[in-house]
Amino acid sequence: MSGHNNQMEPSAVNRGRGESGTNNAEKLQRDSSISSNNVGDSTTLVPQPSTSPDDPLNWSWLKKHAVLLSLIPGCMLSDWTLTWGTTVFQMQAPEWNMSVEAVAQSVSPGIFMQGPGGLLSVPLCQRYGRLPVLFWSQLLSLVFTIGATFAPDYASFTAMRTLQGFFGAAPQVIGMSIIHDMFFFHERARKINIWAMSFLIGPYLGPFFSSLLLLRLEWRPDFGVLAGFYGLSLLMVVILGDETLFDRSQLDLVADRKQQMAGERRPFSLARHVFLLLGVEGFRTRAGRPTLWTVFKDQCSLLVRPYVFLPTALFVMPITMWTIGVVSTISQFVLPPPVAGGYGFSLVALAMLYFAPMIGTVVAELWGHWFNDFLARRYLSRYGLESRLTAVYPAVLIGVVGLIVFGQTLEHHLSWVGLAFGWAMLCFSTLANMTAISAYLLDCLPHHAALTGAWLNFWRVIGGFSVAYFQIQWVHRNGPAVSFGCQAAVIAGAAATIVATQIWGRRWRDKFPAPPAEN
């Protein structure tokens, strides 16, 4: 990967001391180059791996991607689980003697609890490790999915769904930390793109499969299949997962190809692997690990930094709000018959419609795979870390057009093709923007990846939680053209926060450096 030049981890020169030397690090960007993922290469690697073969940076390509693969199902299922149930409202309403709109609100508490659940997972993964947090997240989510399957009434079903959201949020948050632990600076944008695509495509895969299953199954067996997906995810964590949290601050760094690995990697031990999964090993390990209270304080302090608050709370939230709003309500737009203002879709037609957002998300992954690296190679050394945010502008434009097309199609009852194109464009915008913001924050705060990931997830789900309560009512009151047009205007206005961050971001990072890294 010799083409990845002129990139330098912002805090590489201040390892273990936070990011107070941002200016020096950015100066080094102009004089540094990144090599491929080969420890024996004489070219400088960023960050420098240690001489320990247990260092995740020294793992083989196959090992790194196996661990990344174990993370992906949990990321997909985080939102997949909640939107899975959006296709069963019509079946649940007569069973519980409720209206479809009232039953539909069962999804909102689960979406909201993803925020607190993500924030809670950060201190745990910093203190006890990434693997036990991922393991317990999938195990408890499986338990509460089974609980939702057998829930006797609406209240208990909603409670199970709420706990699903709370415990299922962890993979979306710790993903950036796992990527930071294993991959070098020049590899991270592409891996972030894969990670972001996994949890942004999940909301569409869930109802896609659920709609098809409902052709043959009632809603309870349908949820039983969802429990099977969680069982598969749990199995992949147990078989492929490994702990990536590693303290290399006190170890020698690999300076050049002449320096050899210090010893051999420890052999696989089933007992140790079980202890890692359960968190026992992390509980025993205290050296180099921050306390839960320290991580919580750092987590709260990060949010007041404008280069974190603006791109997350004031940009990511409105961007993802409308995406979650559409996926939560799309069945209520297309399933009713034409005489009631809908499109008269069957469950099969509804399932096929979910191909539109999936295609938009996949195209965004391909776009981000190339465009973010292009920006980094061309502008990072010249304009600093804020050049990453340039990827936001074309994505915002596409999202604005997509919402307008979606609203106008509904308003004038045009062909469903307009719905598909508008929805696909909106989902393209969401992933492209999330990747750009995530890569920027990871560049700025490489030693606080979990903390920034938690705030990204928090603001994303807060927007999604709130929109479910007013989306349908807004459309009924003002019409689709006005409501979705206003949503497009909100996205366009939110881009002003990115302009401000690009102008003053470097100054803010100098004035408000991140807390010192604890490990």
Side-chain angles (χ1 to χ4, degrees):
M1 300 180 185
S2 58
H4 296 275
N5 296 327
N6 299 322
Q7 301 178 34
M8 183 71 179
E9 180 174 291
S11 58
V13 295
N14 293 297
R15 192 169 309 284
R17 295 186 286 118
E19 286 105 52
S20 57
T22 303
N23 283 340
N24 290 335
E26 290 188 348
K27 181 178 182 298
L28 285 174
Q29 289 175 358
R30 295 188 289 268
D31 305 313
S32 304
S33 61
I34 304 296
S35 76
S36 62
N37 181 13
N38 184 349
V39 174
D41 198 314
S42 61
T43 310
T44 301
L45 290 162
V46 179
Q48 284 265 280
S50 71
T51 56
S52 170
D54 290 319
D55 185 345
L57 289 171
N58 292 330
W59 289 350
S60 66
W61 183 94
L62 183 61
K63 172 67 175 177
K64 291 182 179 183
H65 287 81
V67 173
L68 182 63
L69 181 63
S70 71
L71 169 73
I72 298 303
C75 290
M76 296 176 68
L77 285 168
S78 295
D79 287 342
W80 171 320
T81 298
L82 297 176
T83 57
W84 182 280
T86 60
T87 60
V88 303
F89 298 149
Q90 284 78 8
M91 293 184 174
Q92 292 174 326
E95 179 176 341
W96 292 329
N97 297 317
M98 299 173 64
S99 67
V100 173
E101 289 187 7
V103 173
Q105 293 182 2
S106 64
V107 73
S108 297
I111 294 175
F112 173 78
M113 290 306 292
Q114 283 186 319
L119 293 177
L120 177 64
S121 68
V122 171
L124 295 176
C125 83
Q126 295 293 88
R127 172 61 186 88
Y128 302 110
R130 326 301 193 203
L131 185 59
V133 173
L134 184 60
F135 170 78
W136 285 109
S137 166
Q138 299 309 286
L139 177 60
L140 292 173
S141 296
L142 171 61
V143 170
F144 293 118
T145 302
I146 294 173
T149 303
F150 295 101
D153 51 40
Y154 174 80
S156 56
F157 177 79
T158 303
M160 292 297 105
R161 298 284 277 162
T162 301
L163 292 170
Q164 279 180 324
F166 182 78
F167 289 105
Q172 297 182 351
V173 173
I174 67 176
M176 281 215 299
S177 293
I178 293 175
I179 290 170
H180 170 266
D181 294 340
M182 294 193 299
F183 294 100
F184 296 100
F185 182 80
H186 65 283
E187 301 173 302
R188 290 177 186 163
R190 292 187 176 186
K191 308 309 175 186
I192 287 173
N193 207 32
I194 295 172
W195 163 70
M197 184 188 74
S198 68
F199 68 76
L200 290 177
I201 202 172
Y204 319 120
L205 282 173
F208 169 74
F209 287 119
S210 180
S211 296
L212 294 178
L213 289 170
L214 289 174
L215 295 173
R216 299 291 183 183
L217 302 175
E218 295 297 322
W219 76 264
R220 292 184 188 275
D222 185 67
F223 263 77
V225 174
L226 176 60
F229 279 115
Y230 261 114
L232 175 62
S233 176
L234 180 64
L235 188 64
M236 291 184 67
V237 172
V238 171
I239 296 175
L240 300 178
D242 204 344
E243 183 54 64
T244 64
L245 182 59
F246 182 81
D247 181 18
R248 63 178 65 88
S249 60
Q250 304 301 320
L251 300 177
D252 293 332
L253 300 180
V254 176
D256 53 46
R257 69 175 65 188
K258 296 179 182 178
Q259 190 165 355
Q260 301 297 318
M261 292 291 182
E264 297 180 356
R265 191 182 181 201
R266 72 181 77 184
F268 176 79
S269 167
L270 179 60
R272 179 175 179 272
H273 187 64
V274 172
F275 285 164
L276 282 173
L277 285 168
L278 298 179
V280 176
E281 190 76 14
F283 179 79
R284 292 173 176 174
T285 304
R286 297 186 181 275
R289 300 281 180 93
T291 64
L292 297 177
W293 176 244
T294 299
V295 179
F296 177 74
K297 288 192 300 181
D298 290 348
Q299 190 172 19
C300 293
S301 69
L302 276 185
L303 186 61
V304 302
R305 286 158 170 79
Y307 55 94
V308 176
F309 183 78
L310 264 68
T312 56
L314 301 184
F315 182 74
V316 167
M317 184 175 72
I319 288 290
T320 56
M321 176 187 293
W322 313 128
T323 309
I324 296 176
V326 170
V327 75
S328 299
T329 57
I330 187 67
S331 63
Q332 298 178 61
F333 291 136
V334 300
L335 287 180
V339 294
Y343 281 78
F345 273 29
S346 65
L347 289 175
V348 174
L350 175 62
M352 296 303 105
L353 186 59
Y354 282 102
F355 273 112
M358 286 190 278
I359 291 172
T361 303
V362 171
V363 172
E365 200 283 333
L366 297 174
W367 163 266
H369 199 76
W370 166 80
F371 191 61
N372 288 288
D373 279 349
F374 166 78
L375 289 176
R377 287 195 302 267
R378 191 175 183 90
Y379 299 113
L380 196 64
S381 62
R382 188 184 311 173
Y383 299 110
L385 303 180
E386 281 68 32
S387 62
R388 286 274 196 200
L389 298 175
T390 306
V392 162
Y393 301 122
V396 165
L397 178 60
I398 291 172
V400 167
V401 174
L403 277 171
I404 293 174
V405 170
F406 192 90
Q408 290 293 326
T409 301
L410 280 178
E411 178 76 20
H412 301 288
H413 212 272
L414 303 176
S415 169
W416 62 267
V417 175
L419 298 180
F421 267 93
W423 198 7
M425 294 171 74
L426 177 62
C427 294
F428 175 97
S429 173
T430 303
L431 176 55
N433 282 311
M434 282 291 293
T435 300
I437 300 300
S438 300
Y440 170 69
L441 292 176
L442 187 56
D443 287 354
C444 293
L445 306 161
H447 297 296
H448 300 285
L451 282 66
T452 55
W455 286 121
L456 271 171
N457 180 72
F458 178 83
W459 292 114
R460 183 180 69 87
V461 301
I462 287 298
F465 159 77
S466 61
V467 73
Y469 286 102
F470 64 82
Q471 174 90 300
I472 289 293
Q473 292 81 354
W474 192 6
V475 171
H476 289 336
R477 184 173 59 252
N478 299 112
V482 172
S483 60
F484 286 101
C486 290
Q487 293 172 24
V490 169
I491 290 180
T497 64
I498 301 303
V499 175
T501 305
Q502 285 197 299
I503 294 173
W504 294 296
R506 181 180 300 193
R507 190 181 310 168
W508 289 337
R509 287 187 284 115
D510 292 340
K511 188 175 182 180
F512 308 106
E518 296 291 335
N519 48 50

